[in-house]
Amino acid sequence: MTDLNPFAARREYLSKIIAPPSPPTAHRKIVFLRFAQVCSPMLTQFQQHLPLFSEHMEQRLQALAQLPMPDTSTYQQTFVWIKNQKLLTEAPYAAALCAPLHKVDDAEKFEEWLGVILLCCCQVHILGHQNSGIDSALR
């Protein structure tokens, strides 16, 4: 992280983790929109428990969450692309965010838990350890 702007460096680091540069821009955008949709409500509720997220990061996610969200078939197309490119392990956050929910009984509750898991995994990722635990949680 840089001394001049640690939050910008952290944001850049997280953006590469959440959606690695390998997917096309359209798929990365879908992943970030989905991340904002799932996680911005959690940031508001658990802000005191997420000290590694800056206010600026929270504002960016909330701004993204205000944009029109694509339908579930768009997320599924992104997931299929990730799967076909054999990037499930390289992009575990993107895969978890875009995984099809049609087989989940209570999709709303699942999304709440997904948001909590993603934010906790991001925090642990920032700390720089427990990658195998993160990968297991995201599966």
Side-chain angles (χ1 to χ4, degrees):
M1 312 252 173
T2 63
D3 291 333
L4 297 175
N5 195 341
F7 294 120
R10 188 177 295 156
R11 185 176 59 246
E12 182 179 335
Y13 175 69
L14 282 177
S15 71
K16 288 178 183 175
I17 290 168
I18 294 165
S22 52
T25 303
H27 289 305
R28 290 188 83 222
K29 181 179 178 183
I30 296 299
V31 170
F32 287 123
L33 286 172
R34 181 77 172 129
F35 184 76
Q37 179 185 33
V38 170
C39 293
S40 63
M42 298 298 131
L43 279 174
T44 305
Q45 293 175 1
F46 299 107
Q47 188 174 24
Q48 68 276 10
H49 301 293
L50 299 166
L52 298 178
F53 281 84
S54 69
E55 184 176 315
H56 183 70
M57 291 169 84
E58 181 181 348
Q59 290 171 351
R60 289 186 76 157
L61 283 177
Q62 288 176 349
L64 273 175
Q66 300 305 313
L67 296 174
M69 292 295 153
D71 60 10
T72 56
S73 66
T74 307
Y75 298 128
Q76 291 174 359
Q77 290 170 1
T78 298
F79 180 80
V80 167
W81 187 90
I82 291 168
K83 185 177 173 184
N84 288 343
Q85 297 298 312
K86 297 179 173 48
L87 297 174
L88 290 172
T89 54
E90 180 186 326
Y93 286 88
L97 282 161
C98 295
L101 294 179
H102 61 273
K103 296 180 181 177
V104 177
D105 291 334
D106 190 357
E108 186 176 319
K109 194 62 155 174
F110 177 83
E111 281 195 9
E112 287 178 19
W113 281 108
L114 180 61
V116 171
I117 290 168
L118 289 168
L119 290 175
C120 291
C121 287
C122 284
Q123 287 238 128
V124 173
H125 229 124
I126 291 169
L127 294 172
H129 49 77
Q130 304 297 331
N131 286 342
S132 64
I134 292 169
D135 290 344
S136 294
L138 294 173
R139 276 190 220 118

